[in-house]
């Protein structure tokens, strides 16, 4: 069993790995600069919502296999592996912001111990060439005689199923200059039985960006098709089913909705486009993927406007604030942009989310956060379903209809049965499910008024 330091150990990826590697029997220290979250974690309180995480945290704290600290001197010396899991958010031009990586790499270097060899595992999603950058920064700060390797090990877990994904990965990708170092990291994952791809560091870095960009492209593709379906009277859910039966296409990531959000797809597509641009290329497809993503939200708000005959003075209920179900993460969540557009057009917004409301409150001034979806729907002219939480699927639509002032239910994730919605006396609209000729002519009227 190995001694492992996880830098960024209270973040979504770092914390999941800290408890996951402890569960595999390793001796783990989660290191993070966020002192409040570190203190909470040492008490067994998870600062973020992730199914199964708290159980693993408590069990491994009690077993003494994991602990958390803000002190590099208490975490790096003696660690055989140092996992770099800090954030790489977007700058305004799409470029990855590497400040957390640079700072963490410097601190790791300062705390390496002479005559010991550590393997720094780059798990954060970092631009192509970052393993070289991390190597250089660590080397600049390391004492004479300290030895280290940098192995790129991109992460593919999904928030909402992070723990399951850690224990059942599809693949382990390792990029290294030194085969022995890559194999040492591969040994950590050996109990999971996943296929291992060992390659050079730049290719490993690129695998992550290319995989996310491909999935985002699939989502934007079906959302563009959804827009056409909506205007021409086809149903995108049936179209996707018909497409997905072709094994060359597959049915996954062909769900029309409100586009991709979260901390990865938008920033990784943007960062890849930026890298391509900087290399003198023209990343037209990647730019279109981002543009279509923004468009899905504008179209959704436009449809609400059409169905309500205008948004000014209307009350709109939002169901779901997190960027997807089973997480409290609001980064790049469609709900934020949609609520901003509703406010700009004069609507009053009430909202509900089963877990994300404490994190949403400071981001959404002027939005009344409600204890349940029925309370949010009370007095609303329209309900907009934004996040596909399970509890919205089983909702009592009759009770919703009775609580509302109006009768519009706009399902941004196509998870409700239109017949059930209609049976409750509500007007249903989904994404990519054709508008009636009447709605189309109203929509054209709204657009002409704007131009
Ligand atoms: N969230 C995901 O689903 C996911 C999936 C795959 C890959 N990734 C990638 O993993 C990386 C981390 O993502 P995340 O969502 O966990 O981010 P996060 O913001 O939740 O976590 C980053 C953590 O690093 C800490 N930190 C920042 N600077 C530090 C420093 N100098 N020393 C120690 N700790 C420091 C922060 O306090 C924070 O807790 C990103 O590059 C992301 O693209 C994320």
């Amino acid at each position: 069993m190995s001694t492992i330091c996880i830098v960024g150990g209270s973040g979504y990826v770092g914390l999941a790995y800290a408890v996951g590697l402890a569960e595999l029997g390793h001796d783990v220290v989660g290191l993070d600069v966020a002192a409040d979250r570190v203190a909470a974690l040492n008490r067994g309180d998870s600062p973020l919502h992730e199914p199964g995480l708290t159980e693993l945290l408590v069990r491994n704290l009690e077993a003494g296999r994991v602990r958390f600290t803000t002190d590099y001197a208490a975490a790096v010396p003696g660690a055989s592996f140092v996992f770099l899991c800090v954030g790489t958010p977007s700058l305004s031009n799409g470029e990855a912001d590497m400040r957390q990586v640079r700072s963490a790499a410097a601190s790791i270097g300062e705390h390496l111990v002479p005559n010991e060899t550590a393997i720094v595992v780059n798990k954060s999603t970092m631009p192509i060439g970052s393993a070289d950058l991390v190597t250089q920064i660590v080397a600049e700060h390391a004492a004479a005689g300290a030895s280290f390797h940098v192995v790129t090990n991109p992460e593919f877990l999904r928030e909402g199923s992070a723990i399951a994904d850690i224990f059942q990965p599809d693949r382990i990708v390792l990029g290294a200059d030194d085969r022995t170092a890559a194999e040492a990291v591969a040994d950590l994952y050996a109990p999971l039985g996943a296929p291992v791809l060992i390659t050079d560091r730049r290719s490993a870095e690129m695998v992550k960006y290319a995989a996310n960009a491909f999935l985002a492209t699939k989502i934007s593709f079906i959302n563009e098709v959804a827009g056409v379906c909506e205007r021409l009277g086809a149903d995108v859910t049936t179209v996707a089913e018909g497409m997905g039966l072709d094994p060359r296409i597959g049915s996954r990531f062909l769900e029309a909705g409100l586009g991709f959000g979260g901390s990865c797809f938008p920033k990784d597509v943007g960062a890849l486009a930026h890298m391509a641009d900087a290399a003198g290329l023209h990343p037209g497809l990647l730019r279109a993927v981002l543009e279509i993503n923004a468009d899905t939200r504008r179209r959704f708000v436009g449809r609400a406007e059409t169905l309500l005959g205008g948004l000014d003075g209307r009350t709109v209920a939002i169901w779901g604030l997190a960027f997807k179900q089973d997480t409290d993460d609001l980064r790049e969540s469609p709900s934020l942009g949609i609520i901003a557009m509703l406010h700009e057009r004069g609507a009053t917004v009430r909202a509900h989310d089963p877990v994300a409301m404490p994190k949403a409150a400071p981001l959404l001034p002027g939005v009344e956060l409600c204890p349940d979806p029925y309370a949010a729907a009370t007095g609303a002219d329209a309900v907009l379903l934004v996040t596909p939480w399970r509890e919205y699927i089983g909702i009592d639509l009759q009770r919703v209809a009775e609580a509302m002032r109006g009768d519009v239910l706009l399902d941004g994730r196509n998870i409700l049965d239109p017949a059930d919605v209609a049976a409750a006396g509500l007007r249903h609209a989904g994404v990519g499910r054709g508008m009636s000729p009447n709605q189309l002519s109203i929509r054209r009227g709204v657009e002409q008024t704007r131009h």
Side-chain angles (χ1 to χ4, degrees):
M1 289 300 133
S2 301
T3 303
I4 301 174
C5 167
I6 308 280
V7 180
S10 80
Y12 281 89
V13 169
L15 177 53
Y17 264 88
V19 300
L21 289 166
E23 183 72 9
L24 291 176
H26 299 290
D27 180 15
V28 180
V29 187
L31 167 73
D32 205 290
V33 289
D36 51 342
R37 293 210 297 269
V38 163
L41 284 164
N42 281 323
R43 292 192 304 270
D45 294 334
S46 170
L48 45 92
H49 177 87
E50 191 60 47
L53 181 61
T54 301
E55 293 86 322
L56 279 194
L57 170 66
V58 170
R59 182 157 70 230
N60 285 287
L61 278 172
E62 282 170 359
R65 286 189 296 261
V66 70
R67 63 193 165 82
F68 296 87
T69 181
T70 55
D71 184 5
Y72 273 86
V76 173
S80 310
F81 298 91
V82 181
F83 277 60
L84 200 42
C85 302
V86 296
T88 49
S90 293
L91 294 171
S92 59
N93 63 354
E95 186 180 1
D97 181 348
M98 293 289 282
R99 280 175 294 182
Q100 294 182 32
V101 171
R102 288 174 180 277
S103 160
S107 304
I108 292 167
E110 281 162 19
H111 292 89
L112 290 179
V113 177
N115 306 319
E116 284 182 13
T117 299
I119 296 178
V120 177
V121 182
N122 278 2
K123 194 159 261 312
S124 300
T125 304
M126 301 182 201
I128 319 311
S130 294
D132 299 342
L133 176 74
V134 170
T135 304
Q136 182 199 328
I137 296 174
V138 173
E140 275 167 17
H141 291 81
S147 135
F148 72 95
H149 300 284
V150 174
V151 174
T152 297
N153 173 213
E155 179 51 44
F156 304 101
L157 67 73
R158 297 158 301 172
E159 284 178 26
S161 57
I163 299 299
D165 290 347
I166 283 180
F167 290 118
Q168 289 144 25
D170 300 320
R171 76 288 210 193
I172 303 295
V173 175
L174 300 169
D177 286 349
D178 181 290
R179 178 101 196 167
T180 315
E183 282 167 357
V185 181
D187 284 348
L188 292 177
Y189 294 109
L192 308 177
V196 177
L197 173 70
I198 296 183
T199 180
D200 63 278
R201 302 197 296 196
R202 284 174 185 245
S203 301
E205 287 164 343
M206 191 62 178
V207 168
K208 174 66 186 174
Y209 282 104
N212 272 2
F214 182 79
L215 293 172
T217 301
K218 236 180 146 183
I219 295 172
S220 277
F221 177 84
I222 199 66
N223 278 328
E224 181 138 291
V225 170
V228 182
C229 288
E230 219 164 274
R231 290 302 175 97
L232 301 186
D235 185 332
V236 75
T237 60
T238 312
V239 173
E241 193 181 344
M243 289 173 63
L245 289 169
D246 182 335
R248 294 170 303 175
I249 297 174
S251 59
R252 298 185 69 189
F253 280 76
L254 274 189
E255 284 146 4
L258 298 174
F260 50 84
S263 68
C264 290
F265 284 5
K267 95 170 161 63
D268 293 348
V269 177
L272 183 56
H274 180 85
M275 281 182 259
D277 244 353
L281 301 165
H282 301 285
L285 176 64
L286 300 174
R287 298 256 181 254
V289 165
L290 293 171
E291 176 56 26
I292 293 165
N293 202 47
D295 224 30
T296 56
R297 291 139 201 204
R298 289 194 283 265
R299 212 173 62 230
F300 186 65
V301 173
R303 200 157 187 199
E305 192 171 26
T306 302
L307 289 165
L308 289 172
L311 287 164
D312 196 17
R314 303 292 187 169
T315 298
V316 175
I318 297 287
W319 284 353
L321 296 169
F323 87 91
K324 66 174 185 178
Q325 71 277 29
D326 293 327
T327 181
D328 59 354
D329 198 344
L330 287 141
R331 290 176 285 185
E332 299 289 328
S333 177
S335 67
L336 303 178
I338 288 168
I339 289 171
M341 283 186 264
L342 292 169
H343 276 159
E344 277 167 14
R345 288 162 174 73
T348 298
V349 179
R350 307 162 58 75
H352 168 263
D353 188 284
V355 302
M357 290 203 292
K359 286 191 176 162
L363 304 175
L364 295 173
V367 173
E368 187 178 346
L369 298 176
C370 304
D372 61 58
Y374 303 101
T378 300
D381 296 299
V383 169
L384 272 50
L385 192 159
V386 171
T387 312
W389 285 99
R390 258 180 304 277
E391 68 179 276
Y392 300 149
I393 299 173
I395 201 130
D396 178 346
L397 289 163
Q398 201 62 50
R399 198 176 147 196
V400 172
E402 282 159 18
M404 289 175 67
R405 180 169 67 189
D407 65 354
V408 170
L409 202 161
L410 193 42
D411 179 0
R413 301 294 181 168
N414 293 336
I415 59 171
L416 301 175
D417 185 335
D420 293 345
V421 177
L426 294 170
R427 281 192 288 159
H428 171 274
V431 171
R433 307 180 106 173
M435 284 194 189
S436 67
N438 184 33
Q439 285 176 16
L440 272 174
S441 60
I442 297 171
R443 170 92 217 125
R444 288 195 193 106
V446 169
E447 278 170 0
Q448 273 157 15
T449 327
R450 275 247 181 80
H451 290 161

